[in-house]
Amino acid sequence: MTHAVGLNFHGIGEPRRTLETDEAPYWVSPHQFEQVLAQVAKAPEGFQITFDDGNLSDHDIALPALVDHGLQARFFVLTGRIGQSGSLDKAHLRALSEAGMTIGSHGIDHTAWPTLSDADLRQELQTSRARLEDICGHAVTEAGIPFGRYDARVLRALQAAGYTTAWSSDGGSFRHQSFLRPRASLRGDMSDDETHAILSNRMPPLRRLRRAVRMVQKRWTITG
Ligand SMILES: [Zn+2]
């Protein structure tokens, strides 16, 4: 299979920390999560599962469920939250890594990368990566882009900081091995039909066209 659908989760179950504004809809129930995993497990090569923000549920709920289904996933962690209540700590990160999961960076403080100065962006990308490499004991080469916000400068900075893969939130499928990989975010308020449309990569033609235009714009412009 040359294409895969990227599925992105944030938190599962009851949050154990104070949520950010507009974050709540991105938390799904354990039941919803289990339903998606059961579908993915039927054709695992057609999907890539990722998690943003480094919530405690990555370890407590997602990890055992993934292992049960024989699935692997990527976890993009905010290094500024490591060890805080409701977020992953160092031992959780090592447990995920030792179970064969990929650990990547989501930056330090959950900032929109296009808004940072060149120096701050470099710091955000390099420092978070170094911290995760120090904890996990191996190279970290993937990043999950916060809020799906990127532009040409962000993509260049990611490559300059040594990242080989960057995950956005543009939805739809992507070609294996591409540097920029779109994902669809699963939300708690999605109907079964909406979830099914994502899993079967069904996008209405007009939306598919708009997505393609938006991705080209973001890749080639600097929004600053
Ligand atoms: Zn995030």
Side-chain angles (χ1 to χ4, degrees):
M1 191 172 294
T2 55
H3 286 74
V5 171
L7 304 175
N8 191 30
F9 291 95
H10 293 80
I12 307 164
E14 285 301 312
R16 305 288 177 200
R17 59 174 176 77
T18 309
L19 297 186
E20 293 177 50
T21 315
D22 301 329
E23 185 187 342
Y26 290 95
W27 281 68
V28 300
S29 71
H31 176 68
Q32 274 179 298
F33 181 62
E34 183 57 41
Q35 280 187 315
V36 172
L37 284 199
Q39 287 299 312
V40 169
K42 291 179 188 169
E45 66 284 356
F47 298 95
Q48 298 282 346
I49 300 173
T50 73
F51 296 81
D52 280 0
D53 301 347
N55 289 303
L56 192 54
S57 58
D58 290 358
H59 174 269
D60 290 358
I61 301 175
L63 176 60
L66 288 162
V67 170
D68 261 4
H69 286 281
L71 295 169
Q72 293 192 326
R74 293 164 159 83
F75 294 84
F76 299 113
V77 177
L78 289 164
T79 57
R81 287 189 192 166
I82 294 173
Q84 286 184 12
S85 172
S87 294
L88 300 171
D89 65 18
K90 291 185 196 174
H92 296 138
L93 286 169
R94 290 192 194 104
L96 285 163
S97 178
E98 281 161 17
M101 307 297 157
T102 300
I103 304 297
S105 171
H106 196 49
I108 304 171
D109 291 324
H110 221 207
T111 47
W113 291 346
T115 66
L116 298 178
S117 69
D118 286 346
D120 288 347
L121 180 58
R122 199 162 47 237
Q123 157 89 355
E124 179 88 7
L125 300 180
Q126 290 178 350
T127 307
S128 61
R129 183 171 173 227
R131 176 97 196 275
L132 293 169
E133 290 185 337
D134 187 43
I135 293 169
C136 297
H138 55 70
V140 167
T141 60
E142 302 199 12
I145 301 171
F147 317 110
R149 288 185 57 187
Y150 64 91
D151 60 11
R153 186 178 64 107
V154 166
L155 297 182
R156 275 203 307 273
L158 278 160
Q159 285 171 316
Y163 291 92
T164 59
T165 310
W167 296 79
S168 73
S169 307
D170 295 302
S173 63
F174 59 87
R175 207 180 280 277
H176 283 295
Q177 313 307 330
S178 44
F179 173 75
L180 186 62
R181 302 185 187 180
R183 307 173 288 180
S185 288
L186 281 298
R187 295 193 319 268
D189 59 2
M190 274 179 173
S191 67
D192 287 351
D193 279 355
E194 285 174 296
T195 305
H196 191 69
I198 286 175
L199 291 173
S200 54
N201 194 25
R202 276 202 324 267
M203 207 185 268
L206 186 59
R207 231 183 96 203
R208 192 175 293 275
L209 180 67
R210 285 197 183 122
R211 165 189 180 264
V213 170
R214 197 175 59 235
M215 282 185 76
V216 168
Q217 284 173 339
K218 283 159 95 174
R219 279 186 99 128
W220 295 104
T221 53
I222 294 176
T223 50

